[in-house]
Amino acid sequence: MQFYADNAGLFWDAFLTTLGMSVLAGLLAVVLGTLLAAFRVSPILPLRGLATFYVETFRNTPLTVVFFFIIFGLPQIDFVIGFFPGSVLAVGLYTAAFVCEAVRSGINSVSPGQAEAARALGLTFGQSLRQVVLPQAFRTVVPPLGNVLIAMVKNTSIAAGFSVSELSSLLPRLVNANAGELVLVLVGVVACYMVITLPAALALNRIERRVAILR
Amino acid sequence: MTSQTAGGPLVQLTGVNKWFGDLHVLQDIDLGIDRGEVVVVIGPSGSGKSTLCRTINRLESIQQGEISIDGEKLPEEGKALARLRSDVGMVFQSFNLFAHKTILQNVTLAPTRVRRQSKAQAEQRARELLERVGVSAQADKYPAQLSGGQQQRVAIARALAMDPKVMLFDEPTSALDPEMINEVLDVMVGLARDGMTMIVVTHEMGFARKAANRVVFMDGGRIVEAADPETFFTAPRSDRARDFLSKILNH
């Protein structure tokens, strides 16, 4: 316990950094991913093409490469971004591709008759998506979306390689300084991640139960 | 706008052709439906009658020909099409009530979102319509809690809430248990008596006799014959219609 008491400040700062990255990147990923999913089912071919291109690009690129591109690549075209915002952007953009596919699977699970009825009433494509299809799609999307977001929290650890003092960056730092306390360092870091992911998983379970619908 | 077109048919299909791949599902369809007219479309399955119904609000596109409603040609896509659809009510075989919304919300969604009515105004009208179709007690339930017959009556109320110029019924009773068919047909007969323009695809010959002004018989993607119900059921002109009627009426 003395070890944790001595390093509480370090743990706390790293925890807040990881939490901040997770929340910001998660918001970006959910908003952008939903928008991309709407594009992918839209009747407008260029939007479909654009979204498909985006998803295939980010889904098939290692996250580390996305980090490199944003943090070291973008300054080449005079767009300099800090390590923390750059990491949020990298994780958010990358995860959006997976959110898109999860939401799209939810959209496909909604019976086509629902959208037909909405369109037959005179709702525009956007209105029928927002009012009828997406609210039902999200209900089936909660479990896969949970997977994507939990994976995302853990993916923020790559930011350790890009000068962000988040949880995983504690490992080399603390182990170097306290060679005898390796197990305590590992347990502490893992526990901090779980403080983020377990309540998130629990919250998603509750949401899943609350939005369950009769069909 | 309306005065200019008031003379012609409300719905006009001219030289309509549609293919699903190689399958020629609608062949040279010419059909005009007048204001207040009730047209029942019958025919064997695969004859193209549902497809015909669905082309009228462009849930199915057509490759050739022209469809106009109230003198206005059907737009291809976008806002103009949405606006035109808002004037065309549709009732589906599988009800298609919005599963995540209550009965009342199902009926008020389009009036508030498309017609920009206030919530109070739309709810008052929705309750009147639910009363009219006999499901006002279910207003706060969800669709899955209702019987098929109740759901279909809600679907009719949902379409009526937009004050449509014409109502399309695509086999509205085909998914219902037998004891629920009449409660839906009664609502439809009431609508017909009130002067609603209706195009009804159905196998309910009793409804055709009772409420239709004209029966259109389709087979193989063509309109084979069209006549008033009495003439059609007692003295069909075509062999195909005679054959079809003999198969469905003798049970």
Side-chain angles (χ1 to χ4, degrees), chain A residues 193-207:
Chain A
Y193 274 110
M194 286 189 171
V195 168
I196 299 174
T197 52
L198 283 182
L202 225 61
L204 284 163
N205 275 341
R206 288 191 64 143
I207 292 172

Side-chain angles (χ1 to χ4, degrees), chain A:
Chain A
M1 277 307 115
Q2 189 55 46
F3 167 74
Y4 291 126
D6 291 344
N7 296 289
L10 265 181
F11 270 104
W12 180 244
D13 288 345
F15 170 78
L16 286 185
T17 304
T18 293
L19 183 66
M21 264 198 294
S22 301
V23 170
L24 294 174
L27 282 175
L28 174 63
V30 168
V31 172
L32 181 61
T34 305
L35 197 67
L36 286 166
F39 282 8
R40 284 204 77 168
V41 298
S42 102
I44 303 161
L45 186 66
L47 289 185
R48 281 207 303 276
L50 185 74
T52 307
F53 176 76
Y54 180 98
V55 168
E56 296 308 342
T57 305
F58 278 92
R59 191 166 66 159
N60 295 300
T61 306
L63 179 52
T64 316
V65 176
V66 178
F67 266 87
F68 263 105
F69 178 79
I70 285 172
I71 291 171
F72 300 125
L74 288 185
Q76 303 284 321
I77 53 166
D78 290 332
F79 186 85
V80 180
I81 188 164
F83 288 119
F84 180 83
S87 301
V88 167
L89 198 61
V91 174
L93 293 179
Y94 175 82
T95 310
F98 294 89
V99 171
C100 167
E101 291 304 274
V103 172
R104 194 165 66 94
S105 77
I107 290 174
N108 289 340
S109 78
V110 177
S111 120
Q114 296 282 311
E116 267 185 3
R119 280 187 290 144
L121 283 165
L123 272 72
T124 61
F125 175 78
Q127 282 177 323
S128 81
L129 205 60
R130 280 196 308 277
Q131 299 292 328
V132 175
V133 178
L134 280 179
Q136 295 185 60
F138 272 119
R139 291 160 201 232
T140 54
V141 155
V142 173
L145 206 57
N147 282 341
V148 169
L149 292 178
I150 285 170
M152 184 206 71
V153 172
K154 297 184 290 179
N155 280 340
T156 59
S157 63
I158 291 183
F162 296 85
S163 305
V164 178
S165 304
E166 49 71 73
L167 283 169
S168 298
S169 72
L170 290 183
L171 291 170
R173 275 170 77 183
L174 287 177
V175 170
N176 283 340
N178 313 271
E181 314 283 16
L182 176 63
V183 175
L184 288 181
V185 175
L186 283 172
V187 168
V189 167
V190 170
C192 285
Y193 274 110
M194 286 189 171
V195 168
I196 299 174
T197 52
L198 283 182
L202 225 61
L204 284 163
N205 275 341
R206 288 191 64 143
I207 292 172
E208 191 186 346
R209 276 204 302 276
R210 278 202 24 204
V211 299
I213 33 160
L214 298 154
R215 282 187 203 270

Side-chain angles (χ1 to χ4, degrees), chain B residues 8-16 29-34 56 65-74 199:
Chain B
L10 183 57
V11 178
Q12 179 68 53
L13 292 87
T14 314
V16 170
I29 302 286
D30 291 301
L31 182 65
I33 292 119
D34 290 329
I56 294 171
E66 195 177 291
I67 299 175
S68 60
I69 292 174
D70 211 358
E72 198 181 340
K73 191 173 176 292
L74 270 188
I199 299 165

Side-chain angles (χ1 to χ4, degrees), chain B residues 66-175:
Chain B
E66 195 177 291
I67 299 175
S68 60
I69 292 174
D70 211 358
E72 198 181 340
K73 191 173 176 292
L74 270 188
E76 301 241 315
E77 259 308 328
K79 290 227 165 25
L81 179 60
R83 189 174 49 75
L84 191 132
R85 278 174 174 154
S86 70
D87 288 332
V88 180
M90 180 145 195
V91 175
F92 299 86
Q93 178 176 349
S94 48
F95 328 135
N96 293 343
L97 292 182
F98 305 132
H100 63 305
K101 292 194 178 288
T102 65
I103 297 308
L104 191 67
Q105 289 167 342
N106 262 276
V107 182
T108 56
L109 177 69
T112 52
R113 298 286 164 176
V114 179
R115 297 265 194 260
R116 303 280 164 206
Q117 290 177 11
S118 73
K119 194 167 167 242
Q121 193 185 357
E123 283 188 358
Q124 192 198 343
R125 173 99 170 104
R127 287 189 194 279
E128 285 166 18
L129 287 166
L130 290 175
E131 181 81 44
R132 175 172 171 186
V133 300
V135 287
S136 54
Q138 324 290 336
D140 297 319
K141 291 189 181 165
Y142 285 87
Q145 295 170 291
L146 270 59
S147 73
Q150 290 173 326
Q151 289 193 50
Q152 195 60 300
R153 285 181 283 151
V154 173
I156 294 172
R158 178 175 69 176
L160 289 176
M162 296 297 281
D163 294 315
K165 294 173 179 166
V166 51
M167 288 275 285
L168 309 174
F169 292 84
D170 184 8
E171 304 206 24
T173 57
S174 299

Side-chain angles (χ1 to χ4, degrees), chain B:
Chain B
M1 225 18 212
T2 37
S3 60
Q4 167 204 339
T5 54
L10 183 57
V11 178
Q12 179 68 53
L13 292 87
T14 314
V16 170
N17 278 280
K18 178 176 177 65
W19 287 263
F20 282 130
D22 287 337
L23 197 64
H24 198 171
V25 286
L26 292 179
Q27 307 187 23
D28 303 319
I29 302 286
D30 291 301
L31 182 65
I33 292 119
D34 290 329
R35 257 157 250 277
E37 193 180 17
V38 177
V39 171
V40 166
V41 183
I42 64 172
S45 68
S47 61
K49 54 192 192 305
S50 274
T51 307
L52 175 74
C53 186
R54 290 163 57 86
T55 59
I56 294 171
N57 63 355
R58 213 179 155 81
L59 285 181
E60 299 284 355
S61 58
I62 58 174
Q63 277 92 42
Q64 264 176 32
E66 195 177 291
I67 299 175
S68 60
I69 292 174
D70 211 358
E72 198 181 340
K73 191 173 176 292
L74 270 188
E76 301 241 315
E77 259 308 328
K79 290 227 165 25
L81 179 60
R83 189 174 49 75
L84 191 132
R85 278 174 174 154
S86 70
D87 288 332
V88 180
M90 180 145 195
V91 175
F92 299 86
Q93 178 176 349
S94 48
F95 328 135
N96 293 343
L97 292 182
F98 305 132
H100 63 305
K101 292 194 178 288
T102 65
I103 297 308
L104 191 67
Q105 289 167 342
N106 262 276
V107 182
T108 56
L109 177 69
T112 52
R113 298 286 164 176
V114 179
R115 297 265 194 260
R116 303 280 164 206
Q117 290 177 11
S118 73
K119 194 167 167 242
Q121 193 185 357
E123 283 188 358
Q124 192 198 343
R125 173 99 170 104
R127 287 189 194 279
E128 285 166 18
L129 287 166
L130 290 175
E131 181 81 44
R132 175 172 171 186
V133 300
V135 287
S136 54
Q138 324 290 336
D140 297 319
K141 291 189 181 165
Y142 285 87
Q145 295 170 291
L146 270 59
S147 73
Q150 290 173 326
Q151 289 193 50
Q152 195 60 300
R153 285 181 283 151
V154 173
I156 294 172
R158 178 175 69 176
L160 289 176
M162 296 297 281
D163 294 315
K165 294 173 179 166
V166 51
M167 288 275 285
L168 309 174
F169 292 84
D170 184 8
E171 304 206 24
T173 57
S174 299
L176 293 175
D177 292 337
E179 75 270 23
M180 293 171 184
I181 289 176
N182 278 334
E183 63 191 49
V184 172
L185 291 180
D186 288 345
V187 170
M188 291 168 59
V189 170
L191 270 183
R193 297 243 161 91
D194 292 347
M196 176 60 77
T197 308
M198 294 162 65
I199 299 165
V200 184
V201 175
T202 187
H203 297 291
E204 296 297 329
M205 300 305 146
F207 174 80
R209 278 178 186 275
K210 203 188 289 183
N213 300 110
R214 192 156 37 129
V215 174
V216 169
F217 176 72
M218 285 186 74
D219 188 37
R222 292 178 186 280
I223 294 181
V224 177
E225 68 176 282
D228 65 273
E230 192 53 35
T231 310
F232 179 76
F233 286 115
T234 53
R237 290 193 311 275
S238 63
D239 291 341
R240 275 303 290 130
R242 264 196 295 278
D243 182 45
F244 177 74
L245 287 174
S246 73
K247 280 178 183 151
I248 58 162
L249 291 179
N250 291 337
H251 288 290

